[in-house]
Amino acid sequence: VRALGTFLRFEATLPARIREAAILVAAVEQQNAFIWDTHQHVAREAGLSDNEIQSIGSGLALTEELSDVRRVVQAVVHSRSVDQDLFNRISARYSVPSAVELVTLAAFYRMMAGLGAAFDSALPGAAPPPWAAG
């Protein structure tokens, strides 16, 4: 598991900005505060703006590129197939290997969120995640 996570985070071809957006979407979709808190800072370093991070966290509109990422992650974490047209857009935008990496990344963070929920993991002193504001 660790080897797969290391590959997806540090050796894969998917751009870091897109990788971190996908991880944040996975956190939101599964309401996993641990993943959200640990990756929102990395997402900024990877090039996501505060506005983009806020929009991901609040479910607000995103650019077409990030909306496609959101749809891929939503499909995977909710056990649905990824629409072929959507997969083709992601493949054309990045590459086929990167599109496969995005799907795998979503599945990986689905598993990580499940593990975190099973052990009720939380970060002491972390700010409430955006979905908890309402």
Side-chain angles (χ1 to χ4, degrees), residues 19-41:
R19 178 194 68 232
E20 293 303 322
I23 294 169
L24 291 180
V25 170
V28 170
E29 288 298 312
Q30 299 170 98
Q31 296 196 344
N32 187 291
F34 184 88
I35 293 172
W36 176 266
D37 194 63
T38 56
H39 281 273
Q40 65 176 322
H41 311 291

Side-chain angles (χ1 to χ4, degrees), residues 6-79:
T6 297
F7 171 78
L8 291 169
R9 295 224 23 243
F10 304 112
E11 300 167 18
T13 63
L14 194 65
R17 179 177 177 280
I18 299 307
R19 178 194 68 232
E20 293 303 322
I23 294 169
L24 291 180
V25 170
V28 170
E29 288 298 312
Q30 299 170 98
Q31 296 196 344
N32 187 291
F34 184 88
I35 293 172
W36 176 266
D37 194 63
T38 56
H39 281 273
Q40 65 176 322
H41 311 291
V42 180
R44 265 186 210 89
E45 293 171 9
L48 285 169
S49 69
D50 287 338
N51 186 48
E52 289 170 322
I53 293 168
Q54 175 66 28
S55 293
I56 291 169
S58 302
L60 299 175
L62 297 166
T63 63
E64 181 181 346
E65 177 183 35
L66 293 180
S67 290
D68 282 349
V69 169
R70 179 188 273 162
R71 284 193 285 279
V72 167
V73 174
Q74 286 172 329
V76 173
V77 300
H78 296 294
S79 299

Side-chain angles (χ1 to χ4, degrees), residues 113-131:
L115 288 170
F119 294 105
D120 197 23
S121 61
L123 290 176
W131 60 85

